[in-house]
Amino acid sequence: PITIKNAHEDTLFFRDLQSLDCIFFALTRLFRKFVLGEGIVMVKLIDIHTHNPQPGVLSPTMAGIHPWDAELRLPMPEFDECDIIGETGIDYASEVDKESQKELFRAHLDIAEKLGKPVVLHSVKSFEPTMQMLRKYKLKGVVFHGFIGSKEQAMECLKRGYYLSFGERSLRSPKSIEALRITPLSQLFC
């Protein structure tokens, strides 16, 4: 087992590295209560990978076009019945045109704000442009999926009330482990 203690003296236990990306304890309850506005619901597993869904794992209903598909100019899905909009965002590590990604991201944020839905972000090597775009919106909730960033970047997200998720890849980065340590349970989404 893996044990991590963060700066808030919360102890997090994970069966293995893979389970870190989807094990939830009370974290799901906090997200559903404060972001989705529902009563407290306990679930054990959740999957927010729209591009790599896992069988047998609870998936909130999500709608969106992943930034990797931004150049395809796909028609927007129906958002009325979904719980969350995403994954959406900007991925500067991909070869997809940056302006196409930004245009798609803006469209998702417009819809999320209008419908009062939270967003799950895919942000790779694009922290500053992502944060600049988010400043223009009043969103119900923001989750940085698979956060890989510095403690300072995490603090900026946390100050805005955003949620951070840390996956197996996050733990390969010493700076992301430091970010995890300062993240309170109330803003941790795995």
Side-chain angles (χ1 to χ4, degrees):
I2 299 162
T3 303
I4 299 172
K5 188 171 282 260
N6 71 12
H8 302 278
E9 297 301 312
D10 301 316
T11 302
L12 312 169
F13 299 96
F14 302 97
R15 183 172 37 89
D16 54 37
L17 287 178
Q18 287 182 330
S19 68
L20 177 61
D21 200 33
C22 61
I23 294 288
F24 251 88
F25 342 115
L27 308 177
T28 299
R29 293 185 299 175
L30 291 167
F31 181 79
R32 294 187 70 85
K33 181 178 179 186
F34 296 114
V35 176
L36 297 180
E38 299 179 7
I40 295 178
V41 176
M42 181 64 161
V43 295
K44 294 185 179 182
L45 298 172
I46 192 163
D47 180 22
I48 56 174
H49 289 89
T50 56
H51 59 281
N52 187 22
Q54 301 296 310
V57 177
L58 174 68
S59 294
T61 54
M62 293 177 58
I65 300 170
H66 198 279
W68 296 344
D69 297 325
E71 291 177 315
L72 299 178
R73 304 285 183 203
L74 298 169
M76 281 291 191
E78 290 294 322
F79 293 103
D80 293 332
E81 299 299 318
C82 73
D83 296 319
I84 301 169
I85 297 187
E87 287 179 56
T88 186
I90 308 168
D91 185 339
Y92 282 177
S94 76
E95 295 187 17
V96 178
D97 177 66
K98 290 175 178 66
E99 289 308 312
S100 296
Q101 291 184 57
K102 288 179 184 176
E103 181 181 317
L104 180 62
F105 186 33
R106 271 189 295 275
H108 281 127
L109 294 176
D110 288 340
I111 293 165
E113 183 178 56
K114 178 182 174 190
L115 297 178
K117 303 211 183 239
V119 294
V120 170
L121 302 183
H122 176 95
S123 176
V124 179
K125 298 185 184 283
S126 60
F127 184 78
E128 288 305 320
T130 297
M131 294 299 275
Q132 285 175 358
M133 289 180 85
L134 289 171
R135 280 185 193 101
K136 300 172 185 169
Y137 295 89
K138 290 185 186 330
L139 300 167
K140 184 170 186 177
V142 175
V143 176
F144 274 80
H145 170 54
F147 184 81
I148 298 176
S150 69
K151 178 171 71 169
E152 294 75 21
Q153 290 171 326
M155 287 170 46
E156 187 175 343
C157 292
L158 297 170
K159 277 193 260 179
R160 291 190 189 184
Y162 299 162
Y163 297 80
L164 302 179
S165 117
F166 295 85
E168 182 179 354
R169 292 187 63 213
S170 304
L171 294 182
R172 295 182 196 152
S173 164
K175 67 181 183 175
S176 296
I177 292 171
E178 288 302 311
L180 174 58
R181 285 193 176 110
I182 63 132
T183 303
L185 281 177
S186 62
Q187 287 178 271
L188 183 62
F189 187 92
C190 302

